[in-house]
Amino acid sequence: MMTVALVFAIACFSVGLLVTLWRLVKGPDPADRILALDTMVINVIALILLYCMWLGRPVYFEAALLLAMVGFVSTVAYCRFILRGDIIE
Amino acid sequence: MLRRLFPHPLLSVTLVLIWFALVNKVTLGHLLLGGFLAIVVPIVTAPYWPGRPRVGRPLKLFGYVLIVLWDIVLANIDVAKIILFRKNEDIRSHWVVVPLELTSPEAITLLAGTITMTPGTISTMLSADAGCILVHTLHTDDPDAVRDTIKSRYEARLKEVFA
Amino acid sequence: MDLIVEIIVSLCLVGGGVFGLVGSVGLVKLRGCIQRLHAPTKAATLGVGGVLIASSIHFTYLTGTLSFHQVLIALFILLTAPITANFIAKVYIQANHDRETLPDTTGAHGWAIYDKPPVQ
């Protein structure tokens, strides 16, 4: 039963990843593209966690943790670049 | 002396706890290493910290966090319903201006974060003198009710916490 | 594996997956950037939250020890989601609005993106 649920969750987040990719390509605003990138990062974190459960070993948790941090910093950096034309003032 | 060694005691404790969570085990060696970081990092970054946040009643903050977590779950179900079952033409978005009575930057940050995470609202901007906050609601028929809910449910509690 | 644990983990996984998918679908379905902003910040956060709860129960049951990494990831995502949403909203407002199209402030000063803060 857990395997079925795991496959279902992986399918959901994979479809979500593709859908956000579409928004990233199409998005009329820069804000839309940043939002799509941020959502992709969150989806990828979820996929990494699910892959750990699939393997049954917690080897990739550090990767998920690092991605959570780097994703946040990159989103803020993009936004500041568009807002001020500069990242560190 | 102690004040100079620990400019931000709360930050030091948080750093040790996060270090333990990162290495995922509790040993004496990691306590020493985490303790070293907890002393060095606040001293090095002290110029960037404007002041210590003053939390008047920490226990109330705990209760507030529980309420917000529960509201996040309800908010998600609300927003999921709107996204899945409502036609785009029927979604009525509004801008709502919420006047603030809170003054400390920490309290306002916490309130803005809460607004973003709870039912169908996103905090977008403060006014230049931090006297009011601009909130966008995804779907509502009564913008004034949204403003009153934010003020009574969250701001009143935060005022007690940061009293 | 115990049946009850398996049922709880499966429920968390299915719930997380559904919310994650709803967040991404909302990103495509809704009109206007500011409406789209509502979908991922909320739904995707709970989606990842469900997966995190499932994986922490799963690994606690498998190894017998509690892992703090999931707690840390959950904490980090919960703390950063409002901040990124706020930044993206500012980018949107700067590109698509000006003083006239936003509602007025209640005080004497305008919105922070147009006016300088008063000197104290």
Side-chain angles (χ1 to χ4, degrees):
Chain A
M1 183 171 64
M2 210 193 78
T3 320
V4 177
L6 205 54
V7 170
F8 175 77
I10 291 176
C12 278
F13 279 104
S14 306
V15 172
L17 201 58
L18 285 176
V19 160
T20 35
L21 187 65
W22 187 76
R23 177 53 73 196
L24 178 68
V25 173
K26 182 153 180 294
D29 276 2
D32 275 314
R33 297 207 162 91
I34 300 172
L35 182 60
L37 278 175
D38 192 54
T39 315
M40 283 177 96
V41 169
I42 289 187
N43 281 339
V44 169
I45 293 170
L47 279 175
I48 291 175
L49 290 166
L50 291 168
Y51 185 58
C52 283
M53 288 180 74
W54 183 261
L55 287 181
R57 272 173 294 155
V59 277
Y60 292 121
F61 279 153
E62 272 91 354
L65 197 59
L66 284 176
L67 206 61
M69 295 179 183
V70 172
F72 167 65
V73 172
S74 64
T75 306
V76 171
Y78 276 131
C79 289
R80 287 207 46 111
F81 183 69
I82 292 174
L83 277 173
R84 308 274 186 99
D86 204 351
I87 295 170
I88 300 168
E89 290 164 356
Chain B
M1 179 61 199
L2 206 62
R3 180 89 173 72
R4 203 186 291 165
L5 204 57
F6 296 102
H8 293 280
L10 211 59
L11 178 64
S12 301
V13 173
T14 316
L15 279 172
V16 173
L17 287 181
I18 287 182
W19 181 257
F20 279 143
L22 272 175
V23 296
N24 218 351
K25 52 182 162 264
V26 181
T27 60
L28 185 65
H30 283 303
L31 179 65
L32 285 177
L33 193 52
F36 174 72
L37 285 176
I39 291 173
V40 170
V41 172
I43 290 177
V44 173
T45 58
Y48 306 108
W49 288 77
R52 279 195 221 185
R54 290 222 328 247
V55 181
R57 300 193 185 90
L59 277 180
K60 291 229 166 170
L61 189 62
F62 188 68
Y64 179 77
V65 169
L66 285 185
I67 289 174
V68 171
L69 281 179
W70 176 241
D71 281 359
I72 288 174
V73 176
L74 294 184
N76 277 292
I77 296 168
D78 267 13
V79 171
K81 268 191 208 150
I82 291 174
I83 290 173
L84 290 180
F85 302 122
R86 206 167 261 278
K87 283 202 216 93
N88 274 344
E89 298 78 41
D90 293 346
I91 298 179
R92 285 178 292 280
S93 297
H94 292 276
W95 293 102
V96 180
V97 179
V98 181
L100 289 176
E101 288 163 46
L102 300 166
T103 48
S104 84
E106 293 84 15
I108 293 177
T109 311
L110 215 58
L111 180 68
T114 313
I115 290 171
T116 301
M117 299 306 286
T118 46
T121 51
I122 279 188
S123 60
T124 57
M125 211 169 17
L126 282 173
S127 69
D129 57 347
C132 55
I133 193 166
L134 183 63
V135 175
H136 186 263
T137 58
L138 177 58
H139 172 79
T140 182
D141 290 324
D142 190 1
D144 289 343
V146 173
R147 187 192 62 208
D148 294 341
T149 318
I150 290 172
K151 282 194 82 69
S152 62
R153 191 168 172 82
Y154 304 118
E155 197 189 7
R157 287 197 168 86
L158 276 177
K159 248 164 68 185
E160 283 179 15
V161 172
F162 286 91
Chain C
M1 191 186 232
D2 229 352
L3 190 65
I4 297 172
V5 176
E6 201 168 320
I7 288 174
I8 294 173
V9 170
S10 305
L11 278 180
C12 286
L13 279 177
V14 171
V18 167
F19 274 115
L21 187 60
V22 166
S24 303
V25 167
L27 195 64
V28 171
K29 189 206 158 205
L30 296 173
R31 298 161 305 159
C33 180
I34 194 80
Q35 280 193 359
R36 279 176 218 134
L37 193 52
H38 285 274
T41 47
K42 297 195 184 71
T45 312
L46 197 70
V48 178
V51 172
L52 280 165
I53 293 171
S55 89
S56 75
I57 293 174
H58 180 72
F59 282 109
T60 307
Y61 188 79
L62 272 188
T63 59
T65 52
L66 186 65
S67 168
F68 288 104
H69 279 156
Q70 286 99 333
V71 182
L72 217 54
I73 297 173
L75 205 66
F76 205 81
I77 288 177
L78 270 185
L79 287 182
T80 56
I83 299 171
T84 51
N86 191 273
F87 265 103
I88 294 169
K90 263 188 190 165
V91 170
Y92 166 78
I93 285 175
Q94 198 195 37
N96 294 290
H97 283 279
D98 51 30
R99 281 167 202 274
E100 278 73 40
T101 52
L102 287 178
D104 288 333
T105 59
T106 52
H109 296 274
W111 295 112
I113 202 167
Y114 306 119
D115 286 4
K116 291 242 180 306
V119 183
Q120 283 170 351

